[in-house]
Amino acid sequence: MILMDHIVREGHPALRKRAEEVKFPLSSDDRELSKDLLEYVIGSQIPEISDEFGLRPGIGLAAPQLNKSKRIFALHITGTNQETISFVAINPKIVSHSVEKTYLASGEGCLSVDRDVEGYVPRYARITIKAFDMEGQEYKKRLKGLAAIAFQHELDHLNGVMFFDHIDKKMPFKEIPGATPFERD
């Protein structure tokens, strides 16, 4: 089980490296890593589990955050207006995106960042993605809203980019042209 102590923090070199493509069939280590990432994001959102193990709730977690240079991440998002979105993405890519931008009105956070970073992080409002599951099957999904924002956040981790790299340093709350703020439920 992944605990907070296993998650590397801001300043760790693994967070600034481009992660390596994963080969199929998955090694037992890569399969275990995939399951552990998903288990963390699911468990961290269940108060009894997060309290018992001291987990910070998160909706996404990427392999580089565990000091593993692998192009793998997991997302688990539940919303009142939408179905649960829960999956592991291996070697993920964005294949198309909207012109329209969005951003989390409350700002983004990260399990690898132990401080509040204020400011708007511009993201595409809608994306179409391709990735592989643990069986090596390619899948395609259309994501919007929080799922699209979280996917882009985690994909950035695989490319050595932190969310705050996208925030305007001089004017963190500067209006983003063509963007609609996204409010979490």
mmCIF file of all heavy atoms in Angstrom, residues 136-183:
data_model
loop_
_atom_site.group_PDB
_atom_site.id
_atom_site.type_symbol
_atom_site.label_atom_id
_atom_site.label_comp_id
_atom_site.label_asym_id
_atom_site.label_seq_id
_atom_site.Cartn_x
_atom_site.Cartn_y
_atom_site.Cartn_z
ATOM 1 N N GLY A 136 -2.698 -4.386 -21.705
ATOM 2 C CA GLY A 136 -2.072 -3.980 -22.956
ATOM 3 C C GLY A 136 -3.077 -3.599 -24.027
ATOM 4 O O GLY A 136 -2.709 -3.408 -25.187
ATOM 5 N N GLN A 137 -4.346 -3.473 -23.653
ATOM 6 C CA GLN A 137 -5.387 -3.069 -24.602
ATOM 7 C C GLN A 137 -5.440 -1.544 -24.682
ATOM 8 O O GLN A 137 -5.549 -0.871 -23.659
ATOM 9 C CB GLN A 137 -6.759 -3.603 -24.159
ATOM 10 C CG GLN A 137 -6.845 -5.113 -24.098
ATOM 11 C CD GLN A 137 -6.616 -5.764 -25.448
ATOM 12 O OE1 GLN A 137 -7.230 -5.406 -26.426
ATOM 13 N NE2 GLN A 137 -5.690 -6.716 -25.478
ATOM 14 N N GLU A 138 -5.380 -1.027 -25.905
ATOM 15 C CA GLU A 138 -5.492 0.416 -26.070
ATOM 16 C C GLU A 138 -6.954 0.824 -25.922
ATOM 17 O O GLU A 138 -7.850 0.116 -26.373
ATOM 18 C CB GLU A 138 -4.978 0.841 -27.446
ATOM 19 C CG GLU A 138 -4.909 2.352 -27.607
ATOM 20 C CD GLU A 138 -4.307 2.778 -28.929
ATOM 21 O OE1 GLU A 138 -4.763 2.290 -29.983
ATOM 22 O OE2 GLU A 138 -3.381 3.602 -28.909
ATOM 23 N N TYR A 139 -7.182 1.953 -25.289
ATOM 24 C CA TYR A 139 -8.539 2.487 -25.188
ATOM 25 C C TYR A 139 -8.500 3.979 -25.479
ATOM 26 O O TYR A 139 -7.448 4.621 -25.429
ATOM 27 C CB TYR A 139 -9.172 2.199 -23.822
ATOM 28 C CG TYR A 139 -8.471 2.817 -22.637
ATOM 29 C CD1 TYR A 139 -8.767 4.115 -22.211
ATOM 30 C CD2 TYR A 139 -7.504 2.105 -21.921
ATOM 31 C CE1 TYR A 139 -8.122 4.686 -21.127
ATOM 32 C CE2 TYR A 139 -6.858 2.667 -20.830
ATOM 33 C CZ TYR A 139 -7.182 3.953 -20.437
ATOM 34 O OH TYR A 139 -6.532 4.513 -19.362
ATOM 35 N N LYS A 140 -9.673 4.494 -25.824
ATOM 36 C CA LYS A 140 -9.829 5.908 -26.154
ATOM 37 C C LYS A 140 -10.974 6.446 -25.305
ATOM 38 O O LYS A 140 -11.980 5.759 -25.117
ATOM 39 C CB LYS A 140 -10.172 6.014 -27.641
ATOM 40 C CG LYS A 140 -10.134 7.373 -28.238
ATOM 41 C CD LYS A 140 -10.365 7.249 -29.745
ATOM 42 C CE LYS A 140 -10.289 8.592 -30.423
ATOM 43 N NZ LYS A 140 -10.444 8.472 -31.867
ATOM 44 N N LYS A 141 -10.823 7.649 -24.769
ATOM 45 C CA LYS A 141 -11.868 8.275 -23.953
ATOM 46 C C LYS A 141 -11.956 9.755 -24.297
ATOM 47 O O LYS A 141 -10.939 10.378 -24.627
ATOM 48 C CB LYS A 141 -11.533 8.189 -22.452
ATOM 49 C CG LYS A 141 -11.625 6.829 -21.829
ATOM 50 C CD LYS A 141 -11.326 6.917 -20.322
ATOM 51 C CE LYS A 141 -11.345 5.569 -19.666
ATOM 52 N NZ LYS A 141 -12.663 5.012 -19.501
ATOM 53 N N ARG A 142 -13.161 10.277 -24.160
ATOM 54 C CA ARG A 142 -13.367 11.720 -24.226
ATOM 55 C C ARG A 142 -13.592 12.188 -22.804
ATOM 56 O O ARG A 142 -14.429 11.630 -22.093
ATOM 57 C CB ARG A 142 -14.589 12.042 -25.072
ATOM 58 C CG ARG A 142 -14.349 11.865 -26.526
ATOM 59 C CD ARG A 142 -15.512 12.480 -27.285
ATOM 60 N NE ARG A 142 -15.077 12.765 -28.629
ATOM 61 C CZ ARG A 142 -15.795 12.491 -29.695
ATOM 62 N NH1 ARG A 142 -16.999 11.962 -29.561
ATOM 63 N NH2 ARG A 142 -15.341 12.776 -30.874
ATOM 64 N N LEU A 143 -12.842 13.196 -22.410
ATOM 65 C CA LEU A 143 -12.941 13.707 -21.043
ATOM 66 C C LEU A 143 -13.232 15.198 -21.075
ATOM 67 O O LEU A 143 -12.764 15.916 -21.967
ATOM 68 C CB LEU A 143 -11.632 13.455 -20.287
ATOM 69 C CG LEU A 143 -11.154 12.004 -20.196
ATOM 70 C CD1 LEU A 143 -9.767 11.949 -19.562
ATOM 71 C CD2 LEU A 143 -12.138 11.150 -19.420
ATOM 72 N N LYS A 144 -14.001 15.646 -20.085
ATOM 73 C CA LYS A 144 -14.271 17.071 -19.941
ATOM 74 C C LYS A 144 -14.314 17.402 -18.455
ATOM 75 O O LYS A 144 -14.298 16.502 -17.608
ATOM 76 C CB LYS A 144 -15.581 17.449 -20.626
ATOM 77 C CG LYS A 144 -16.796 16.779 -20.032
ATOM 78 C CD LYS A 144 -18.062 17.164 -20.795
ATOM 79 C CE LYS A 144 -19.248 16.481 -20.127
ATOM 80 N NZ LYS A 144 -20.501 16.821 -20.713
ATOM 81 N N GLY A 145 -14.343 18.679 -18.153
ATOM 82 C CA GLY A 145 -14.441 19.107 -16.764
ATOM 83 C C GLY A 145 -13.266 18.647 -15.918
ATOM 84 O O GLY A 145 -12.115 18.654 -16.363
ATOM 85 N N LEU A 146 -13.585 18.211 -14.700
ATOM 86 C CA LEU A 146 -12.538 17.823 -13.752
ATOM 87 C C LEU A 146 -11.689 16.663 -14.278
ATOM 88 O O LEU A 146 -10.474 16.637 -14.077
ATOM 89 C CB LEU A 146 -13.161 17.465 -12.402
ATOM 90 C CG LEU A 146 -12.183 17.166 -11.272
ATOM 91 C CD1 LEU A 146 -11.224 18.328 -11.030
ATOM 92 C CD2 LEU A 146 -12.933 16.817 -9.996
ATOM 93 N N ALA A 147 -12.319 15.715 -14.965
ATOM 94 C CA ALA A 147 -11.556 14.573 -15.496
ATOM 95 C C ALA A 147 -10.512 15.036 -16.513
ATOM 96 O O ALA A 147 -9.370 14.554 -16.509
ATOM 97 C CB ALA A 147 -12.501 13.548 -16.118
ATOM 98 N N ALA A 148 -10.879 15.978 -17.377
ATOM 99 C CA ALA A 148 -9.928 16.504 -18.368
ATOM 100 C C ALA A 148 -8.792 17.262 -17.675
ATOM 101 O O ALA A 148 -7.618 17.113 -18.037
ATOM 102 C CB ALA A 148 -10.644 17.410 -19.365
ATOM 103 N N ILE A 149 -9.149 18.053 -16.667
ATOM 104 C CA ILE A 149 -8.135 18.822 -15.923
ATOM 105 C C ILE A 149 -7.169 17.865 -15.220
ATOM 106 O O ILE A 149 -5.945 18.014 -15.317
ATOM 107 C CB ILE A 149 -8.818 19.768 -14.906
ATOM 108 C CG1 ILE A 149 -9.571 20.880 -15.645
ATOM 109 C CG2 ILE A 149 -7.797 20.354 -13.927
ATOM 110 C CD1 ILE A 149 -10.514 21.696 -14.769
ATOM 111 N N ALA A 150 -7.721 16.866 -14.525
ATOM 112 C CA ALA A 150 -6.875 15.920 -13.785
ATOM 113 C C ALA A 150 -5.990 15.110 -14.720
ATOM 114 O O ALA A 150 -4.815 14.865 -14.415
ATOM 115 C CB ALA A 150 -7.752 14.995 -12.946
ATOM 116 N N PHE A 151 -6.524 14.686 -15.872
ATOM 117 C CA PHE A 151 -5.724 13.924 -16.835
ATOM 118 C C PHE A 151 -4.520 14.765 -17.280
ATOM 119 O O PHE A 151 -3.392 14.268 -17.314
ATOM 120 C CB PHE A 151 -6.576 13.524 -18.045
ATOM 121 C CG PHE A 151 -5.876 12.583 -18.992
ATOM 122 C CD1 PHE A 151 -6.088 11.213 -18.898
ATOM 123 C CD2 PHE A 151 -4.996 13.052 -19.957
ATOM 124 C CE1 PHE A 151 -5.434 10.329 -19.764
ATOM 125 C CE2 PHE A 151 -4.339 12.183 -20.818
ATOM 126 C CZ PHE A 151 -4.562 10.814 -20.717
ATOM 127 N N GLN A 152 -4.761 16.034 -17.596
ATOM 128 C CA GLN A 152 -3.664 16.899 -18.038
ATOM 129 C C GLN A 152 -2.641 17.119 -16.928
ATOM 130 O O GLN A 152 -1.429 17.165 -17.185
ATOM 131 C CB GLN A 152 -4.231 18.234 -18.544
ATOM 132 C CG GLN A 152 -5.021 18.062 -19.840
ATOM 133 C CD GLN A 152 -5.818 19.293 -20.202
ATOM 134 O OE1 GLN A 152 -5.280 20.247 -20.776
ATOM 135 N NE2 GLN A 152 -7.103 19.293 -19.857
ATOM 136 N N HIS A 153 -3.112 17.243 -15.686
ATOM 137 C CA HIS A 153 -2.217 17.407 -14.529
ATOM 138 C C HIS A 153 -1.301 16.186 -14.405
ATOM 139 O O HIS A 153 -0.078 16.322 -14.238
ATOM 140 C CB HIS A 153 -3.064 17.593 -13.263
ATOM 141 C CG HIS A 153 -2.279 17.703 -11.996
ATOM 142 N ND1 HIS A 153 -2.197 18.875 -11.275
ATOM 143 C CD2 HIS A 153 -1.548 16.791 -11.302
ATOM 144 C CE1 HIS A 153 -1.441 18.673 -10.202
ATOM 145 N NE2 HIS A 153 -1.044 17.412 -10.189
ATOM 146 N N GLU A 154 -1.899 14.984 -14.481
ATOM 147 C CA GLU A 154 -1.102 13.760 -14.331
ATOM 148 C C GLU A 154 -0.181 13.540 -15.530
ATOM 149 O O GLU A 154 0.962 13.105 -15.367
ATOM 150 C CB GLU A 154 -2.006 12.547 -14.109
ATOM 151 C CG GLU A 154 -2.849 12.618 -12.835
ATOM 152 C CD GLU A 154 -2.064 12.925 -11.570
ATOM 153 O OE1 GLU A 154 -0.916 12.456 -11.423
ATOM 154 O OE2 GLU A 154 -2.597 13.644 -10.705
ATOM 155 N N LEU A 155 -0.659 13.852 -16.734
ATOM 156 C CA LEU A 155 0.192 13.733 -17.926
ATOM 157 C C LEU A 155 1.403 14.656 -17.804
ATOM 158 O O LEU A 155 2.515 14.286 -18.174
ATOM 159 C CB LEU A 155 -0.615 14.043 -19.191
ATOM 160 C CG LEU A 155 0.105 13.812 -20.520
ATOM 161 C CD1 LEU A 155 0.501 12.349 -20.696
ATOM 162 C CD2 LEU A 155 -0.772 14.263 -21.684
ATOM 163 N N ASP A 156 1.193 15.843 -17.240
ATOM 164 C CA ASP A 156 2.323 16.746 -16.990
ATOM 165 C C ASP A 156 3.378 16.069 -16.121
ATOM 166 O O ASP A 156 4.581 16.212 -16.366
ATOM 167 C CB ASP A 156 1.852 18.035 -16.295
ATOM 168 C CG ASP A 156 1.334 19.093 -17.255
ATOM 169 O OD1 ASP A 156 1.473 18.927 -18.488
ATOM 170 O OD2 ASP A 156 0.790 20.111 -16.760
ATOM 171 N N HIS A 157 2.940 15.325 -15.085
ATOM 172 C CA HIS A 157 3.909 14.624 -14.226
ATOM 173 C C HIS A 157 4.780 13.682 -15.046
ATOM 174 O O HIS A 157 5.974 13.531 -14.768
ATOM 175 C CB HIS A 157 3.194 13.825 -13.133
ATOM 176 C CG HIS A 157 2.839 14.617 -11.923
ATOM 177 N ND1 HIS A 157 3.759 15.347 -11.204
ATOM 178 C CD2 HIS A 157 1.651 14.794 -11.298
ATOM 179 C CE1 HIS A 157 3.161 15.945 -10.189
ATOM 180 N NE2 HIS A 157 1.875 15.626 -10.225
ATOM 181 N N LEU A 158 4.204 13.042 -16.040
ATOM 182 C CA LEU A 158 4.984 12.100 -16.863
ATOM 183 C C LEU A 158 5.994 12.823 -17.739
ATOM 184 O O LEU A 158 6.929 12.208 -18.250
ATOM 185 C CB LEU A 158 4.050 11.251 -17.731
ATOM 186 C CG LEU A 158 2.967 10.462 -16.988
ATOM 187 C CD1 LEU A 158 2.230 9.551 -17.965
ATOM 188 C CD2 LEU A 158 3.532 9.665 -15.826
ATOM 189 N N ASN A 159 5.795 14.135 -17.916
ATOM 190 C CA ASN A 159 6.692 14.943 -18.742
ATOM 191 C C ASN A 159 7.590 15.862 -17.923
ATOM 192 O O ASN A 159 8.240 16.750 -18.471
ATOM 193 C CB ASN A 159 5.862 15.758 -19.747
ATOM 194 C CG ASN A 159 5.159 14.853 -20.737
ATOM 195 O OD1 ASN A 159 5.713 13.845 -21.176
ATOM 196 N ND2 ASN A 159 3.924 15.191 -21.086
ATOM 197 N N GLY A 160 7.603 15.668 -16.597
ATOM 198 C CA GLY A 160 8.480 16.462 -15.738
ATOM 199 C C GLY A 160 7.998 17.887 -15.503
ATOM 200 O O GLY A 160 8.788 18.770 -15.186
ATOM 201 N N VAL A 161 6.692 18.096 -15.665
ATOM 202 C CA VAL A 161 6.107 19.434 -15.505
ATOM 203 C C VAL A 161 5.234 19.449 -14.249
ATOM 204 O O VAL A 161 4.468 18.517 -14.009
ATOM 205 C CB VAL A 161 5.254 19.796 -16.748
ATOM 206 C CG1 VAL A 161 4.558 21.138 -16.566
ATOM 207 C CG2 VAL A 161 6.125 19.805 -18.012
ATOM 208 N N MET A 162 5.347 20.503 -13.464
ATOM 209 C CA MET A 162 4.518 20.679 -12.272
ATOM 210 C C MET A 162 3.398 21.663 -12.607
ATOM 211 O O MET A 162 3.573 22.561 -13.429
ATOM 212 C CB MET A 162 5.353 21.215 -11.108
ATOM 213 C CG MET A 162 6.487 20.287 -10.680
ATOM 214 S SD MET A 162 5.929 18.720 -9.988
ATOM 215 C CE MET A 162 5.381 19.266 -8.368
ATOM 216 N N PHE A 163 2.261 21.518 -11.933
ATOM 217 C CA PHE A 163 1.101 22.365 -12.252
ATOM 218 C C PHE A 163 1.414 23.846 -12.139
ATOM 219 O O PHE A 163 0.939 24.663 -12.926
ATOM 220 C CB PHE A 163 -0.118 21.985 -11.391
ATOM 221 C CG PHE A 163 -0.062 22.448 -9.969
ATOM 222 C CD1 PHE A 163 -0.629 23.662 -9.587
ATOM 223 C CD2 PHE A 163 0.544 21.675 -8.989
ATOM 224 C CE1 PHE A 163 -0.588 24.090 -8.269
ATOM 225 C CE2 PHE A 163 0.586 22.083 -7.672
ATOM 226 C CZ PHE A 163 0.026 23.299 -7.311
ATOM 227 N N PHE A 164 2.249 24.224 -11.169
ATOM 228 C CA PHE A 164 2.519 25.647 -10.954
ATOM 229 C C PHE A 164 3.395 26.253 -12.040
ATOM 230 O O PHE A 164 3.489 27.465 -12.157
ATOM 231 C CB PHE A 164 3.083 25.924 -9.552
ATOM 232 C CG PHE A 164 4.236 25.051 -9.151
ATOM 233 C CD1 PHE A 164 5.514 25.252 -9.648
ATOM 234 C CD2 PHE A 164 4.033 24.021 -8.242
ATOM 235 C CE1 PHE A 164 6.571 24.451 -9.263
ATOM 236 C CE2 PHE A 164 5.085 23.210 -7.841
ATOM 237 C CZ PHE A 164 6.366 23.425 -8.364
ATOM 238 N N ASP A 165 3.995 25.400 -12.894
ATOM 239 C CA ASP A 165 4.763 25.909 -14.038
ATOM 240 C C ASP A 165 3.856 26.665 -15.008
ATOM 241 O O ASP A 165 4.325 27.511 -15.770
ATOM 242 C CB ASP A 165 5.448 24.768 -14.802
ATOM 243 C CG ASP A 165 6.486 24.029 -13.973
ATOM 244 O OD1 ASP A 165 6.939 24.555 -12.939
ATOM 245 O OD2 ASP A 165 6.845 22.898 -14.366
ATOM 246 N N HIS A 166 2.558 26.342 -15.006
ATOM 247 C CA HIS A 166 1.592 26.963 -15.919
ATOM 248 C C HIS A 166 1.004 28.270 -15.385
ATOM 249 O O HIS A 166 0.308 28.972 -16.108
ATOM 250 C CB HIS A 166 0.416 26.005 -16.181
ATOM 251 C CG HIS A 166 0.807 24.723 -16.834
ATOM 252 N ND1 HIS A 166 1.228 24.641 -18.146
ATOM 253 C CD2 HIS A 166 0.829 23.451 -16.356
ATOM 254 C CE1 HIS A 166 1.487 23.385 -18.447
ATOM 255 N NE2 HIS A 166 1.247 22.642 -17.379
ATOM 256 N N ILE A 167 1.235 28.571 -14.116
ATOM 257 C CA ILE A 167 0.643 29.769 -13.498
ATOM 258 C C ILE A 167 1.475 30.993 -13.854
ATOM 259 O O ILE A 167 2.711 30.966 -13.763
ATOM 260 C CB ILE A 167 0.557 29.605 -11.955
ATOM 261 C CG1 ILE A 167 -0.363 28.433 -11.592
ATOM 262 C CG2 ILE A 167 0.077 30.898 -11.298
ATOM 263 C CD1 ILE A 167 -0.363 28.059 -10.111
ATOM 264 N N ASP A 168 0.806 32.059 -14.258
ATOM 265 C CA ASP A 168 1.484 33.316 -14.558
ATOM 266 C C ASP A 168 2.135 33.830 -13.264
ATOM 267 O O ASP A 168 1.439 34.088 -12.272
ATOM 268 C CB ASP A 168 0.467 34.331 -15.103
ATOM 269 C CG ASP A 168 1.122 35.619 -15.570
ATOM 270 O OD1 ASP A 168 1.808 36.277 -14.750
ATOM 271 O OD2 ASP A 168 0.946 35.972 -16.746
ATOM 272 N N LYS A 169 3.446 33.940 -13.256
ATOM 273 C CA LYS A 169 4.180 34.299 -12.031
ATOM 274 C C LYS A 169 3.866 35.719 -11.551
ATOM 275 O O LYS A 169 3.778 35.972 -10.355
ATOM 276 C CB LYS A 169 5.698 34.181 -12.236
ATOM 277 C CG LYS A 169 6.164 32.825 -12.747
ATOM 278 C CD LYS A 169 5.952 31.714 -11.743
ATOM 279 C CE LYS A 169 6.373 30.378 -12.283
ATOM 280 N NZ LYS A 169 5.315 29.501 -12.735
ATOM 281 N N LYS A 170 3.712 36.663 -12.492
ATOM 282 C CA LYS A 170 3.466 38.053 -12.109
ATOM 283 C C LYS A 170 2.005 38.294 -11.721
ATOM 284 O O LYS A 170 1.721 39.073 -10.828
ATOM 285 C CB LYS A 170 3.857 38.984 -13.259
ATOM 286 C CG LYS A 170 5.358 39.042 -13.496
ATOM 287 C CD LYS A 170 5.682 40.122 -14.523
ATOM 288 C CE LYS A 170 7.145 40.366 -14.656
ATOM 289 N NZ LYS A 170 7.863 39.378 -15.440
ATOM 290 N N MET A 171 1.086 37.596 -12.433
ATOM 291 C CA MET A 171 -0.345 37.792 -12.181
ATOM 292 C C MET A 171 -1.033 36.420 -12.122
ATOM 293 O O MET A 171 -1.624 35.977 -13.104
ATOM 294 C CB MET A 171 -0.970 38.650 -13.281
ATOM 295 C CG MET A 171 -0.422 40.071 -13.336
ATOM 296 S SD MET A 171 -1.073 40.999 -14.753
ATOM 297 C CE MET A 171 -2.824 40.961 -14.442
ATOM 298 N N PRO A 172 -0.924 35.727 -10.964
ATOM 299 C CA PRO A 172 -1.444 34.360 -10.871
ATOM 300 C C PRO A 172 -2.945 34.210 -11.123
ATOM 301 O O PRO A 172 -3.395 33.144 -11.532
ATOM 302 C CB PRO A 172 -1.084 33.920 -9.451
ATOM 303 C CG PRO A 172 -0.646 35.135 -8.728
ATOM 304 C CD PRO A 172 -0.301 36.179 -9.729
ATOM 305 N N PHE A 173 -3.719 35.285 -10.918
ATOM 306 C CA PHE A 173 -5.166 35.202 -11.138
ATOM 307 C C PHE A 173 -5.596 35.973 -12.384
ATOM 308 O O PHE A 173 -6.748 36.367 -12.522
ATOM 309 C CB PHE A 173 -5.928 35.707 -9.903
ATOM 310 C CG PHE A 173 -5.711 34.811 -8.708
ATOM 311 C CD1 PHE A 173 -4.851 35.202 -7.687
ATOM 312 C CD2 PHE A 173 -6.332 33.578 -8.621
ATOM 313 C CE1 PHE A 173 -4.636 34.372 -6.592
ATOM 314 C CE2 PHE A 173 -6.121 32.750 -7.529
ATOM 315 C CZ PHE A 173 -5.268 33.146 -6.518
ATOM 316 N N LYS A 174 -4.648 36.164 -13.311
ATOM 317 C CA LYS A 174 -4.943 36.850 -14.560
ATOM 318 C C LYS A 174 -5.983 36.037 -15.337
ATOM 319 O O LYS A 174 -5.910 34.810 -15.396
ATOM 320 C CB LYS A 174 -3.655 36.984 -15.384
ATOM 321 C CG LYS A 174 -3.839 37.691 -16.720
ATOM 322 C CD LYS A 174 -2.506 37.934 -17.396
ATOM 323 C CE LYS A 174 -2.139 36.710 -18.210
ATOM 324 N NZ LYS A 174 -0.910 36.853 -18.969
ATOM 325 N N GLU A 175 -6.938 36.728 -15.927
ATOM 326 C CA GLU A 175 -7.964 36.063 -16.727
ATOM 327 C C GLU A 175 -7.309 35.305 -17.882
ATOM 328 O O GLU A 175 -6.370 35.804 -18.506
ATOM 329 C CB GLU A 175 -8.937 37.111 -17.268
ATOM 330 C CG GLU A 175 -10.161 36.493 -17.890
ATOM 331 C CD GLU A 175 -11.187 37.540 -18.290
ATOM 332 O OE1 GLU A 175 -11.405 38.487 -17.512
ATOM 333 O OE2 GLU A 175 -11.754 37.386 -19.377
ATOM 334 N N ILE A 176 -7.797 34.102 -18.123
ATOM 335 C CA ILE A 176 -7.256 33.274 -19.205
ATOM 336 C C ILE A 176 -8.186 33.443 -20.408
ATOM 337 O O ILE A 176 -9.370 33.105 -20.319
ATOM 338 C CB ILE A 176 -7.159 31.793 -18.769
ATOM 339 C CG1 ILE A 176 -6.218 31.682 -17.564
ATOM 340 C CG2 ILE A 176 -6.692 30.922 -19.924
ATOM 341 C CD1 ILE A 176 -6.311 30.368 -16.836
ATOM 342 N N PRO A 177 -7.674 34.008 -21.503
ATOM 343 C CA PRO A 177 -8.536 34.251 -22.667
ATOM 344 C C PRO A 177 -9.225 32.970 -23.149
ATOM 345 O O PRO A 177 -8.595 31.928 -23.286
ATOM 346 C CB PRO A 177 -7.567 34.778 -23.738
ATOM 347 C CG PRO A 177 -6.365 35.250 -22.978
ATOM 348 C CD PRO A 177 -6.287 34.407 -21.743
ATOM 349 N N GLY A 178 -10.523 33.081 -23.393
ATOM 350 C CA GLY A 178 -11.293 31.942 -23.906
ATOM 351 C C GLY A 178 -11.529 30.814 -22.913
ATOM 352 O O GLY A 178 -11.907 29.723 -23.302
ATOM 353 N N ALA A 179 -11.291 31.081 -21.635
ATOM 354 C CA ALA A 179 -11.429 30.024 -20.613
ATOM 355 C C ALA A 179 -12.670 30.232 -19.764
ATOM 356 O O ALA A 179 -13.033 31.348 -19.435
ATOM 357 C CB ALA A 179 -10.195 29.994 -19.720
ATOM 358 N N THR A 180 -13.296 29.115 -19.403
ATOM 359 C CA THR A 180 -14.431 29.115 -18.498
ATOM 360 C C THR A 180 -13.991 28.441 -17.204
ATOM 361 O O THR A 180 -13.489 27.306 -17.254
ATOM 362 C CB THR A 180 -15.603 28.308 -19.110
ATOM 363 O OG1 THR A 180 -15.898 28.852 -20.381
ATOM 364 C CG2 THR A 180 -16.832 28.359 -18.223
ATOM 365 N N PRO A 181 -14.150 29.114 -16.057
ATOM 366 C CA PRO A 181 -13.734 28.463 -14.800
ATOM 367 C C PRO A 181 -14.564 27.232 -14.509
ATOM 368 O O PRO A 181 -15.753 27.174 -14.827
ATOM 369 C CB PRO A 181 -13.964 29.544 -13.740
ATOM 370 C CG PRO A 181 -14.839 30.567 -14.367
ATOM 371 C CD PRO A 181 -14.720 30.435 -15.846
ATOM 372 N N PHE A 182 -13.916 26.226 -13.941
ATOM 373 C CA PHE A 182 -14.606 25.009 -13.544
ATOM 374 C C PHE A 182 -14.735 25.014 -12.025
ATOM 375 O O PHE A 182 -13.739 25.169 -11.317
ATOM 376 C CB PHE A 182 -13.849 23.754 -13.995
ATOM 377 C CG PHE A 182 -14.552 22.481 -13.631
ATOM 378 C CD1 PHE A 182 -15.571 21.977 -14.423
ATOM 379 C CD2 PHE A 182 -14.237 21.798 -12.459
ATOM 380 C CE1 PHE A 182 -16.246 20.822 -14.065
ATOM 381 C CE2 PHE A 182 -14.898 20.644 -12.099
ATOM 382 C CZ PHE A 182 -15.916 20.144 -12.902
ATOM 383 N N GLU A 183 -15.956 24.840 -11.534
ATOM 384 C CA GLU A 183 -16.214 24.801 -10.090
ATOM 385 C C GLU A 183 -16.430 23.347 -9.695
ATOM 386 O O GLU A 183 -17.267 22.674 -10.287
ATOM 387 C CB GLU A 183 -17.476 25.607 -9.746
ATOM 388 C CG GLU A 183 -17.466 27.041 -10.211
ATOM 389 C CD GLU A 183 -16.715 27.987 -9.297
ATOM 390 O OE1 GLU A 183 -16.386 27.597 -8.157
ATOM 391 O OE2 GLU A 183 -16.460 29.128 -9.726
#
